[in-house]
Amino acid sequence: MELGISPIITSGMVMQMLAGARLIEVDHNVKEDRALFQGAQKLFGILITIGEAIAYVLSGMYGDVGSIGAGNAILIITQLFCAGLIVLTLDEMLAKGYGLGSGISLFIATGICETIVWKSFSPTTINTGRGTEFEGAIIALFHLLITRNNKVQALTEAFYRQNLPNLTNLLATILIFVVVIYFQGWRVNLPVKYQKYRGQEGNYPIKLFYTSNMPIILLSSLVSNLYFISQLLYNRAPTNILVRLLGMWQETEGSGGQKIPVGGVAYYISPPRSLAEIIYDPFHATFYFVFILTSCALFSKTWIEVSGSSARDVAKQLRDQQMVMKGHRDSALINVLNRYIPTAAAFGGMCIGALSILADLSGAIGSGTGILLAVTIIFGFYESFVKEQREGAGAQF
């Protein structure tokens, strides 16, 4: 599962952009067009999977091709391709209705929750130089309290130990969960009524997170692809000026054997790893903050145009349902929506970006982007479940 869901997200993003830019004509109300679009998206995802698998091997991610041999290289490519096909198949099954939500959302939420649970309860032992410690923050707490004579020092170490998950990280994760769920409830309800049926009124809600987690998904896809290309090129030509400008990579203490960006564009769009790093390199922190906030706002505004949720599209949907805004003429419907939807999209995207930065700076388990994705996805599943329960209860009566 080395490639993860990157091929699915990338293919979906590219196809949506092509459709939004009218480079390909797609009418999602027509069943044949919809099926053809989804088929093209899956085919594009397969091609991206093959391309990334070959690029991973040829770039030396698993060792020099000459040393591992052509046979092993082909086996690795086949393994990566088969794993990618499994992910695509599972996503297709969920899209057909064999489950709740989309495959991409479920894969992301599962991966992030697995990371949080593992880093909280992992029984793996690590020799840190101060003795053997457990990786899991909660297990480490009880282990330190039992084995250390000075209980205050044991608590301090459990809350603030370095290079391993600690209780401060866990509490920060819980805090981010609560804050995001709180902001999920922020919305503006626009009163609407039916033209045909007198007395029937309702509300059209416009949430603060109008585009949900799409800005952070698109940003995550962009950054992960840039990391992939940068690391691939750096492994092949580490002395090339343009490659070093794109990103420089090396292993550092506490990175778990993985290479992290230490220079170039890849470094400046990566989050600061501590408050000390912000003080040491304020330009990196400032560039990262501006990049996240600006990118999330732009992606959010772009997404409403390409996904059919702009003010113009919503006005058309309401007119098709013969609904008008209460207290406004039908001709003023799009003007009213334009006052709310673009603002909610841009400001909501910036809020998502700000919460991601807060999660990174507070040391929450995983990444700020990952935690936001997990919370918004799980909350979306909860809303879908409640909606289905209400519809089921209404059908019984």
Side-chain angles (χ1 to χ4, degrees):
M1 291 297 190
E2 182 78 43
L3 302 180
I5 60 172
S6 174
I8 300 178
I9 295 178
T10 304
S11 64
M13 182 174 63
V14 171
M15 293 298 293
Q16 286 284 0
M17 292 296 182
L18 291 175
R22 303 293 190 269
L23 295 176
I24 56 175
E25 293 294 332
V26 181
D27 186 354
H28 289 283
N29 295 320
V30 178
K31 183 178 179 181
E32 290 76 12
D33 278 18
R34 191 165 60 247
L36 187 62
F37 181 81
Q38 292 173 353
Q41 184 172 315
K42 294 295 184 294
L43 176 61
F44 193 37
I46 291 173
L47 295 176
I48 292 175
T49 302
I50 296 173
E52 289 191 357
I54 294 173
Y56 260 74
V57 174
L58 294 182
S59 67
M61 295 285 285
Y62 305 102
D64 186 72
V65 177
S67 61
I68 65 176
N72 287 331
I74 293 173
L75 285 175
I76 293 173
I77 292 173
T78 304
Q79 178 183 335
L80 292 174
F81 175 66
C82 291
L85 279 183
I86 291 172
V87 173
L88 288 166
T89 303
L90 291 173
D91 179 60
E92 181 69 15
M93 289 177 62
L94 287 167
K96 295 294 184 183
Y98 296 99
L100 188 65
S102 69
I104 294 175
S105 298
L106 189 60
F107 298 150
I108 293 173
T110 303
I112 300 303
C113 291
E114 182 269 335
T115 300
I116 294 172
V117 171
W118 179 258
K119 291 191 175 183
S120 299
F121 301 98
S122 171
T124 304
T125 55
I126 298 173
N127 191 348
T128 60
R130 302 184 303 271
T132 301
E133 294 186 24
F134 285 93
E135 182 183 9
I138 294 177
I139 293 182
L141 168 66
F142 291 103
H143 175 255
L144 291 169
L145 287 174
I146 293 170
T147 57
R148 300 291 170 86
N149 294 325
N150 190 331
K151 304 305 180 185
V152 175
Q153 185 180 356
L155 278 174
T156 303
E157 191 170 339
F159 271 91
Y160 303 109
R161 64 181 183 162
Q162 299 296 315
N163 299 327
L164 285 174
N166 56 51
L167 289 180
T168 303
N169 301 143
L170 184 59
L171 292 175
T173 305
I174 295 171
L175 175 64
I176 296 299
F177 265 74
V178 173
V179 170
V180 174
I181 291 173
Y182 173 71
F183 279 115
Q184 285 278 6
W186 284 29
R187 67 186 67 194
V188 173
N189 290 317
L190 301 180
V192 294
K193 64 179 181 179
Y194 285 93
Q195 289 179 313
K196 274 190 173 182
Y197 310 104
R198 291 181 178 273
Q200 289 197 13
E201 300 179 355
N203 290 314
Y204 184 82
I206 298 178
K207 294 183 178 181
L208 172 63
F209 297 155
Y210 183 71
T211 51
S212 187
N213 54 18
M214 281 313 301
I216 213 72
I217 287 179
L218 295 174
L219 178 62
S220 176
S221 176
L222 172 67
V223 172
S224 63
N225 282 308
L226 190 146
Y227 281 177
F228 167 70
I229 294 171
S230 173
Q231 198 167 358
L232 185 153
L233 294 174
Y234 190 75
N235 288 337
R236 302 294 293 180
T239 58
N240 186 282
I241 295 177
L242 293 178
V243 171
R244 294 173 69 86
L245 183 63
L246 185 60
M248 294 182 289
W249 299 76
Q250 71 178 33
E251 291 184 18
T252 60
E253 185 182 355
S255 62
Q258 294 183 344
K259 291 185 177 180
I260 60 173
V262 294
V265 175
Y267 167 72
Y268 286 106
I269 63 174
S270 64
R273 290 182 291 276
S274 64
L275 291 175
E277 187 174 326
I278 295 176
I279 298 172
Y280 175 74
D281 191 355
F283 179 75
H284 172 208
T286 304
F287 187 93
Y288 174 73
F289 297 160
V290 173
F291 170 74
I292 292 292
L293 296 177
T294 306
S295 299
C296 285
L298 291 177
F299 274 133
S300 188
K301 289 205 70 174
T302 303
W303 183 252
I304 65 173
E305 298 296 334
V306 302
S307 65
S309 53
S310 65
R312 182 181 62 257
D313 298 313
V314 172
K316 183 179 182 300
Q317 293 168 13
L318 291 176
R319 288 195 182 104
D320 290 343
Q321 297 173 17
Q322 297 185 340
M323 300 180 74
V324 294
M325 200 71 63
K326 189 176 179 182
H328 298 275
R329 295 180 179 179
D330 181 57
S331 59
L333 179 59
I334 190 171
N335 295 327
V336 176
L337 292 172
N338 264 324
R339 289 207 302 265
Y340 293 96
I341 289 179
T343 304
F347 186 66
M350 290 186 68
C351 288
I352 286 282
L355 287 171
S356 175
I357 293 171
L358 176 62
D360 285 325
L361 295 182
S362 62
I365 294 175
S367 65
T369 300
I371 292 172
L372 282 177
L373 288 174
V375 178
T376 52
I377 288 167
I378 293 170
F379 191 80
F381 284 156
Y382 169 75
E383 287 186 324
S384 300
F385 179 75
V386 170
K387 183 179 179 181
E388 288 186 3
Q389 289 289 99
R390 288 176 179 173
E391 291 176 352
Q396 291 179 358
F397 292 100

